[in-house]
């Protein structure tokens, strides 16, 4: 099946800076995308999602951008805090529904 | 509201032993999923159940069976455990298969 990949496995940022985590997907039939945060010893937690009829969606301190032309997804975290340190995954869902494919994850470390 | 509950949290098996991982959700979700998470490989879908009474294979179904016991419960069975099945197993649910997944906190399984 198709897989979702991430450009960078690790990312370190200074507290207060903005973070950008990237994700590439290869299946043009995917029409729904989700970003998850996973802290050590816990299950992934939903952060934000976006459907393919949108280019941008904003939440609290987070923004997801979708570029369907190059099959690229990004998560922007504003004013990164120590509590944002975690592994971040993107997931894609084919328009047939039910099957979510996950990337390998990016580990974000926030330096106080 | 407990969300998605998985039991047990930890398990050690010997090669060839069998066991069942339990999962229950109290959100009245229709779709349920089993994923495994290995270092550097993200989450991979084992089996899913789009609705009560149906189950389907995901990316890595070999060596596993599932049962959708009712709308709340979805169990994963290893009939003859192998060391390659050492992993962290996550159960998840979704309202309808095209909405965000809600994850449990995982079962860490070691097969020796």
């Amino acid at each position: 099946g198709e897989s979702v990949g991430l450009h960078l496995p690790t990312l370190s940022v200074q507290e207060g800076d903005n973070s950008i985590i990237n994700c590439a997907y290869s299946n043009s039939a995917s029409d729904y995308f989700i970003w998850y945060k996973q802290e050590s010893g816990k299950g992934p937690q939903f952060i934000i999602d976006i459907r393919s009829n949108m280019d941008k969606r904003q939440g609290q301190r987070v923004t997801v951008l979708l570029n369907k032309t190059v099959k690229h997804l990004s998560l922007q975290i504003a004013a990164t805090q120590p509590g944002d340190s975690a592994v971040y995954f993107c997931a894609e869902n084919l328009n047939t529904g039910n099957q979510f494919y996950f990337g390998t994850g990016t580990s974000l470390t926030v330096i106080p | 509201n407990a969300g998605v509950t998985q039991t047990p949290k930890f398990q050690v098996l010997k090669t060839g032993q069998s066991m069942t991982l339990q999962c229950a959700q109290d959100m009245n979700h229709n779709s349920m999923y089993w994923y495994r998470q290995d270092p550097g490989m993200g989450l991979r879908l084992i089996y899913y159940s789009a609705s009560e009474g149906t189950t389907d294979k995901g990316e890595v179904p070999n060596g596993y069976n599932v049962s959708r016991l009712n709308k709340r419960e979805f169990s994963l069975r290893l009939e003859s455990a192998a060391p390659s099945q050492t992993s962290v197993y996550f159960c998840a649910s979704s309202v309808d298969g095209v909405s965000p997944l809600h994850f449990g906190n995982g079962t860490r399984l070691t097969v020796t």
Side-chain angles (χ1 to χ4, degrees):
Chain A
E2 299 290 342
S3 63
V4 178
L6 294 175
H7 293 308
L8 296 172
T10 61
L11 178 65
S12 294
V13 299
Q14 291 289 140
E15 181 178 357
D17 287 352
N18 296 334
S19 303
I20 299 176
I21 301 172
N22 295 303
C23 177
Y25 67 95
S26 53
N27 195 327
S28 57
S30 295
D31 64 353
Y32 178 50
F33 305 88
I34 305 177
W35 280 101
Y36 286 92
K37 173 186 180 183
Q38 187 177 27
E39 297 173 293
S40 181
K42 295 185 179 180
Q45 294 175 281
F46 171 83
I47 302 173
I48 192 167
D49 59 357
I50 189 167
R51 300 197 184 266
S52 59
N53 60 351
M54 301 175 71
D55 297 323
K56 179 179 179 179
R57 191 161 189 226
Q58 290 184 287
Q60 188 177 11
R61 283 202 305 120
V62 294
T63 300
V64 55
L65 299 177
L66 175 62
N67 186 329
K68 295 180 285 293
T69 302
V70 295
K71 298 191 186 71
H72 185 266
L73 193 67
S74 68
L75 176 70
Q76 301 177 2
I77 304 173
T80 313
Q81 302 169 358
D84 295 327
S85 293
V87 177
Y88 290 81
F89 294 94
C90 63
E92 65 179 314
N93 183 289
L94 299 179
N95 59 10
T96 54
N98 275 304
Q99 296 208 42
F100 288 87
Y101 295 95
F102 284 77
T104 53
T106 292
S107 177
L108 174 65
T109 300
V110 181
I111 304 165
Chain B
N1 219 355
V4 179
T5 303
Q6 292 184 236
T7 56
K9 287 184 169 53
F10 301 94
Q11 184 71 49
V12 179
L13 293 177
K14 294 186 188 305
T15 297
Q17 287 185 318
S18 62
M19 80 160 295
T20 300
L21 282 65
Q22 306 287 353
C23 174
Q25 52 90 10
D26 62 3
M27 297 173 282
N28 201 35
H29 286 176
N30 289 305
S31 302
M32 297 186 73
Y33 307 79
W34 277 104
Y35 284 88
R36 60 177 289 172
Q37 184 174 35
D38 301 301
M41 300 194 70
L43 292 113
R44 291 183 292 169
L45 181 63
I46 305 172
Y47 270 94
Y48 67 98
S49 170
S51 60
E52 186 179 354
T54 68
T55 61
D56 285 286
K57 296 178 180 179
E59 302 169 81
V60 289
N62 291 345
Y64 305 96
N65 286 302
V66 290
S67 295
R68 183 73 182 269
L69 304 170
N70 47 55
K71 191 171 185 179
R72 289 186 66 248
E73 298 172 286
F74 189 39
S75 62
L76 179 72
R77 182 159 179 84
L78 287 71
E79 290 291 353
S80 179
S84 61
Q85 294 178 305
T86 293
S87 188
V88 181
Y89 291 85
F90 287 100
C91 177
S93 69
S94 169
V95 171
D96 55 10
V98 289
S99 298
L101 298 175
H102 296 256
F103 284 87
N105 281 325
T107 294
R108 187 174 294 275
L109 176 67
T110 302
V111 183
T112 61

